[in-house]
Amino acid sequence: MSHIKIRGGHSLHGEIEVQGAKNAALPIIAASVLNNGMVHLRRCPQIMDVHHMLRILQQSGAGIMWDDGDVWIKTDQMDTVAVSSLDAGKMRSSIILLGALLGRGQEVTMPYPGGCTIGARPIDWHIDALRKMNVQIDLKENKIECKTTGLKGNRIELPYPSVGVTENILLAAVLADGVTEIIHAAMEPEIADLCRFLKKSGACIEGEGTERIRIKGVKTLHDTEYTIMADRIAAGTYMAAAAAVGGEIVLKGIHIENVRAVADVLVESGCGLIIYKESIKIIAPSMLLAVKEIETEPYPGFPTDMQSQMLACLCQARGDSTVTEHIFENRYKVVPELIRMGGNITVDQRRAVIHGPCRMHGEKVEAKELRGGAALVIAGLAAEGETVIHGSEHIERGYQDICRDLGQLGAEICCITDHTERRWEDN
């Protein structure tokens, strides 16, 4: 098992290119099966979840070729009836393959999705939506069996703007007979990126980026080359890291609209921002200020995927900051580890108060999930002494190379895998 070692106390300086977005790449890879040909994706992040998704396609007969950040997906030989449990059971995003595979064929069997430890994510809404599109679904003990005589468009009103359900409906609707309308659709930038990819492939979609999306089914899609958007959560993580330890960094390839909620919080904490057309410069103050209230909400609100990182960042702020988690009930798993490192945090149900500034010190800690692991990296950068983070495979689910990126900005950080350590100076 790999782990990350950090020697804290160094400010961050320099610039890096932001990786492709995990939460855009996964549904776009799923969408590639709707075309019976070749898809070429640029800026595809080489992260664990992406490799799991590509292996699922490969096990079903797709041809996959990587070249750095470019991936080619050849789907003309795919058999889409059964999805292997080997990788599908490791990631919750595998559920969006239902819509895509039903769009390609008329019968799919797959295991229940896995990989999530931050809260309950029932698949009921996915199932209800697909049933409204003429899919017969049988939920067995360890698998989902789906059959259709042909997908049919319908008006589907969501009880909550779920990203995954919106994606599944989109993927099912693209080749369905008739018009599908999604009411209360998720408005995340990654949804809009998926729609842009599908439209470039020949789909007929209106309203992406709004709460009402309309899809008119088409007969076929065609070969496509597409560049995946930059990862707004990776960008937000590095912004929070710079704010926590001080310095000035430039993040290239990111648009301010996609990180506006995080940027607003950091400005409130005293950070300066210089916004360019396709990059952002963040300038940390000598002392962060407490933030009165952060509440996680669906986009365009503050993202739940940045909540843990902000907890770690605000340990360095003067005064009491409050964070309320409205999305996932188990997002505070990282708090005991932050407290071990010196964090002064109290949690009452979904509300956390950070009493800062905290004098953080290096410890051996464990990442229990993706974003909590990133928060421990930020805490380690700000801590005195050496921090060792076990469970770094969770971090690798969403960050292509967090050690390389932060090392380029001046952090003393390395990854130790199979007893082989990267030297500090190699960063």
Side-chain angles (χ1 to χ4, degrees), residues 171-208:
L171 294 171
V174 166
L175 299 180
D177 182 25
V179 174
T180 301
E181 192 171 21
I182 310 173
I183 312 299
H184 300 149
M187 298 189 292
E188 272 71 4
E190 294 81 7
I191 296 288
D193 209 42
L194 171 62
C195 290
R196 286 191 291 269
F197 166 78
L198 289 168
K199 289 170 74 170
K200 191 173 182 183
S201 304
C204 183
I205 302 172
E206 298 174 352
E208 62 270 24

Side-chain angles (χ1 to χ4, degrees), residues 229-351:
M229 66 177 282
D231 195 309
R232 62 192 175 102
I233 305 302
T237 299
Y238 297 147
M239 292 168 72
V245 302
E248 300 181 9
I249 66 169
V250 175
L251 300 172
K252 299 166 63 179
I254 191 75
H255 294 277
I256 186 62
E257 292 80 8
N258 292 341
V259 292
R260 176 70 68 182
V262 175
D264 287 347
V265 167
L266 292 175
V267 168
E268 183 181 346
S269 73
C271 294
L273 289 181
I274 300 177
I275 300 167
Y276 304 99
K277 184 177 180 181
E278 292 191 10
S279 62
I280 300 170
K281 183 176 185 178
I282 180 168
I283 305 165
S286 57
M287 170 61 74
L288 283 178
L289 304 175
V291 176
K292 184 177 180 181
E293 181 73 47
I294 297 173
E295 297 187 61
T296 62
E297 300 285 356
Y299 188 86
F302 190 89
T304 183
D305 280 355
M306 276 299 303
Q307 184 255 87
S308 297
Q309 300 92 306
M310 198 55 64
L311 283 179
C313 174
L314 292 173
C315 283
Q316 302 304 308
R318 184 174 64 239
D320 289 353
S321 301
T322 302
V323 176
T324 302
E325 173 60 51
H326 292 297
I327 312 297
F328 295 120
E329 66 275 14
N330 290 332
R331 270 289 193 201
Y332 292 126
K333 283 190 172 188
V334 72
V335 169
E337 301 294 82
L338 292 175
I339 291 174
R340 285 188 61 205
M341 297 179 68
N344 188 353
I345 305 170
T346 56
V347 177
D348 181 11
Q349 296 182 355
R350 290 181 178 248
R351 186 178 180 87

Side-chain angles (χ1 to χ4, degrees), residues 2 20 77 99 105 141 165 176 178 194 209 237 260 274 315 320 361 378 391 408:
S2 62
Q77 300 298 316
E141 182 178 352
V165 180
L194 171 62
T237 299
R260 176 70 68 182
I274 300 177
C315 283
D320 289 353
H361 51 81
I378 293 173
Q408 288 177 357

